[in-house]
Amino acid sequence: MVRLVVDGYNVMHAWPSLQRTMRTASLEAARDELVARLSVLGMVTGDNVTVVFDAHHSTALSNSEETVDGVQVIYTRKGHSADHAIERIAYKAR
């Protein structure tokens, strides 16, 4: 089975409609929209989908994880980037 791992904020800043949502609504609305779109992608392809969001401005001391509409959503802990989390996921998968 294929596992798709997405750096959430990188995709949001590169996707024009999500950029627009960030400007006109909120960052949270854009995150929700991305997760919804990834959920549909996962349903269509049958892939496991994980999206990772940086939490540089968070005070959280540990990662938080939840599953939303079949998408694993990870928020990194304070001081850790999505890149760190994605590297750990890739290392564990090999």
Side-chain angles (χ1 to χ4, degrees):
M1 179 166 294
V2 173
R3 182 173 189 185
L4 174 66
V5 182
V6 176
D7 185 323
Y9 290 132
N10 280 352
V11 171
M12 286 169 50
H13 287 287
W15 198 333
S17 66
L18 294 175
Q19 291 173 347
R20 196 169 26 263
T21 300
M22 285 188 286
R23 280 193 315 272
T24 61
S26 67
L27 185 65
E28 182 178 354
R31 280 193 308 252
D32 291 345
E33 188 176 332
L34 176 60
V35 170
R37 291 176 181 205
L38 291 173
S39 174
V40 171
L41 176 66
M43 284 187 272
V44 169
T45 63
D47 297 343
N48 289 325
V49 180
T50 300
V51 61
V52 182
F53 294 104
D54 297 306
H56 288 297
H57 302 292
S58 172
T59 58
L61 298 177
S62 63
N63 290 354
S64 67
E65 244 179 82
E66 62 181 330
T67 300
V68 178
D69 296 330
V71 176
Q72 181 185 21
V73 181
I74 299 172
Y75 296 93
T76 65
R77 67 181 185 251
K78 180 181 178 179
H80 283 244
S81 70
D83 292 341
H84 289 127
I86 291 167
E87 287 170 2
R88 281 194 310 276
I89 292 167
Y91 181 78
K92 287 180 184 178
R94 60 178 194 113

